[in-house]
Amino acid sequence: MGLLAFELAYWQQTVIKMLVVAVAVPGAAFVLGYVFLFKMLSFMQSRLGPMEAGPYGTLQLIADGVKFLQKEDILPDRADRFVFKAAPAVVLISTFLLFVVIPAGPNAIVEDLGVGIFFALAVSSLSVLGVLMAGWASANKFSLMGGLRATGQLIAYELPLVLAVVGVVIQAGTLSMQGIVNAQSGGEIFGWGGLGNPFLLTQFLGLVIFMIAVQAELTQVPFDMPVAESELVGGYHVEYTGFRFLFFFMGEFGTAFAFAAIAATLFLGGWALPDSWGVSGTAMHVLGPIILVAKVMILSFFVFWVRFTYPRFREDQLQQLAWKVLIPLSLVNIVATGILKVAF
Amino acid sequence: MPNPLNELLRQYLTVAIFAGLGLAMVGAMLGVGWLLRPDRPEPQKYINYESGVDPLGVMWSQSQIRYYVFALLFVLFDVEAVFIFPWATRLEAYGAFGLIEMAVFIFILALGLVYAWRKGVLRWV
């Protein structure tokens, strides 16, 4: 923590980081849920959305949370109790671990792991386990079908997600998130340093593949077959009541924020402004999180806009898109980026 | 001289602490809920939900085993991705020779995908 005059001990630093993330994860879910899910959806449908709870409906989600807290906890008869209870915990743990490698400033990262982006991708696969556990342990045919479809979809879209990132790694030459941010802010495009070198320009295909894969990983429409409300009576979380149900949503929106932040870091330059703009190092400690949140909002806008516009894909269309289009495209992207990197 | 292994392990200790934080958060919120919620067990509440009608048959449906192909292909490409990452990080040092080498690797695995495609196992019907 370079801000303070003295160095904090490890456990003090960890406690502060834990508090920040413990507030940030539900906070991020709250902000994304309110701004995009409630208000943006409503405005796009020419209606106002929640207006009663708090000014302009800002406290609606808190009201929802309190309502869920006092619901009775019902476990189905034949359900596997331990796995049933553990499934939302697994999903939420995967979200928390994703927040460990998101950089919000020159020092504001929980741990700048050497394998930053690789760790993020690995941890995001944990939620697939949680979904499968939920589908199986609910002892409900529809849950199981939803859970299996979800698993098939999530592993199919895991691959374009991973492969789209490889292009960025080739250009940055490092896996650590801070390293990727620095490579973008300090880089130059053919000798012109005016904009730094955001990987958006050369890795546009990578960004598109990444955002499509993120949409599918979050089981958002048009990829929300697993939770198709009108078809599978709620899919793998139909038997969950009360706050356990809300954990899945917190996991989904928290992960949406985390993935948008990761995409902003990989492709848009994260918390950094280009070095040539000459913003001083200490100012970035304050500006960094604000810039990152602004970039996250822009990317989330696109994610939710697609969510509200397109109808749902059929399961086989979804799988075809992943295996026959996205994976070959991302392999081509890797080879092309490699050629460009070696040639220049 | 600080031992780099200590630094590495310390970073992953933080990761483990965060996993524990996730667990603690789940426990805390469910604990608050346990204090607030009612508990009136009725046998009808514990029947599975099937849109309001009585549930039919055994609670677990059968699924087609031929979907194992997707899991297989996923493992294949995931392991390929694990091999691609170290190469991508150090591409500058490997130069053109490394690029051609990895292009051959990706090409061979892409052939596997084309084979699966032509065999018709990529259809989820």
Side-chain angles (χ1 to χ4, degrees):
Chain A
M1 306 269 283
L3 278 176
L4 304 171
F6 48 90
E7 188 64 24
L8 289 172
Y10 171 72
W11 68 270
Q12 287 166 325
Q13 282 188 14
T14 311
V15 166
I16 294 180
K17 289 173 184 173
M18 275 168 60
L19 284 173
V20 169
V21 172
V23 168
V25 172
F30 182 85
V31 167
L32 275 189
Y34 174 70
V35 173
F36 293 110
L37 185 63
F38 285 159
K39 285 302 183 179
M40 193 172 95
L41 171 63
S42 315
F43 289 169
M44 281 185 175
Q45 291 176 346
S46 300
R47 59 186 175 93
L48 281 177
M51 296 288 278
E52 289 291 317
Y56 293 103
T58 39
L59 296 181
Q60 177 70 33
L61 276 173
I62 298 185
D64 267 338
V66 171
K67 177 190 81 167
F68 273 110
L69 263 183
Q70 37 103 18
K71 296 272 188 185
E72 188 174 338
D73 192 24
I74 299 180
L75 270 66
D77 256 344
R78 318 273 224 39
D80 189 337
R81 311 190 86 84
F82 177 67
V83 177
F84 188 83
K85 293 182 183 180
V90 169
V91 171
L92 207 62
I93 286 179
S94 129
T95 305
F96 269 92
L97 286 179
L98 259 183
F99 273 79
V100 166
V101 284
I102 296 178
N107 273 332
I109 185 174
V110 176
E111 278 295 348
D112 190 16
L113 295 175
V115 288
I117 185 60
F118 195 59
F119 170 80
L121 294 171
V123 158
S124 70
S125 329
L126 273 183
S127 56
V128 180
L129 269 181
V131 163
L132 195 55
M133 285 161 73
W136 177 262
S138 295
N140 185 333
K141 296 193 219 35
F142 298 109
S143 284
L144 184 61
M145 281 201 283
L148 288 176
R149 283 193 191 175
T151 308
Q153 171 186 321
L154 291 173
I155 64 174
Y157 280 90
E158 191 76 36
L159 288 168
L161 194 74
V162 170
L163 293 174
V165 169
V166 175
V168 170
V169 171
I170 290 179
Q171 277 207 274
T174 173
L175 286 173
S176 102
M177 298 290 261
Q178 294 282 38
I180 293 177
V181 172
N182 289 329
Q184 290 182 72
S185 65
E188 304 180 333
I189 312 171
F190 293 121
W192 176 59
L195 265 184
N197 183 16
F199 293 147
L200 171 67
L201 300 172
T202 43
Q203 293 291 319
F204 188 70
L205 181 63
L207 176 64
V208 168
I209 296 176
F210 190 83
M211 293 313 289
I212 296 178
V214 162
Q215 195 91 0
E217 283 288 318
L218 297 171
T219 55
Q220 304 259 40
V221 186
F223 300 105
D224 76 337
M225 250 315 184
V227 290
E229 281 149 23
S230 49
E231 299 184 22
L232 275 180
V233 294
Y236 58 85
H237 50 59
V238 67
E239 295 282 0
Y240 282 88
T241 60
F243 226 83
R244 300 183 200 278
F245 181 65
L246 217 58
F247 283 140
F248 281 111
F249 273 113
M250 221 195 308
E252 177 181 330
F253 281 94
T255 313
F257 187 89
F259 269 127
I262 289 177
T265 305
L266 292 176
F267 295 99
L268 292 178
W271 55 261
L273 293 172
D275 273 352
S276 59
W277 290 11
V279 183
S280 74
T282 42
M284 289 312 292
H285 280 111
V286 173
L287 274 181
I290 301 177
I291 295 175
L292 180 68
V293 169
K295 292 180 182 172
V296 165
M297 286 301 189
I298 296 176
L299 283 174
S300 310
F301 174 72
F302 283 105
V303 168
F304 281 92
W305 187 18
V306 170
R307 176 187 178 144
F308 301 144
T309 315
Y310 286 105
R312 187 177 292 140
F313 274 137
R314 244 181 19 233
E315 187 70 20
D316 59 315
Q317 288 172 332
L318 199 152
Q319 296 280 354
Q320 278 191 358
L321 180 66
W323 293 101
K324 298 187 183 178
V325 175
L326 288 183
I327 292 184
L329 269 182
S330 49
L331 290 175
V332 164
N333 181 30
I334 294 177
V335 176
T337 309
I339 293 176
L340 288 176
K341 174 86 171 182
V342 168
F344 290 107
Chain B
M1 189 178 72
N3 187 349
L5 185 62
N6 274 345
E7 254 325 291
L8 185 76
L9 290 179
R10 173 164 290 194
Q11 288 184 330
Y12 284 100
L13 177 65
T14 312
V15 169
I17 291 178
F18 266 79
L21 174 69
L23 209 57
M25 196 135 191
V26 170
M29 293 207 221
L30 286 179
V32 172
W34 179 75
L35 289 172
L36 288 177
R37 64 180 172 231
D39 186 25
R40 300 184 191 118
E42 302 265 341
Q44 288 89 357
K45 285 187 192 170
Y46 301 118
I47 308 176
N48 287 314
Y49 179 71
E50 283 193 18
S51 304
V53 296
D54 294 330
L56 286 177
V58 191
M59 289 307 133
W60 282 270
S61 61
Q62 293 185 324
S63 59
Q64 306 240 6
I65 196 63
R66 62 188 173 87
Y67 294 148
Y68 85 98
V69 172
F70 292 95
L72 198 61
L73 281 174
F74 167 70
V75 170
L76 255 166
F77 279 90
D78 221 21
V79 173
E80 173 184 358
V82 169
F83 283 126
I84 290 180
F85 266 96
W87 166 83
T89 315
R90 285 274 165 259
L91 181 54
E92 214 157 336
Y94 296 145
F97 174 68
L99 176 68
I100 308 246
E101 194 176 345
M102 184 50 81
V104 170
F105 180 64
I106 292 180
F107 176 68
I108 295 178
L109 285 169
L111 273 183
L113 180 65
V114 171
Y115 174 70
W117 188 333
R118 294 299 298 269
K119 272 282 197 178
V121 293
L122 286 181
R123 285 184 306 139
W124 181 294
V125 171

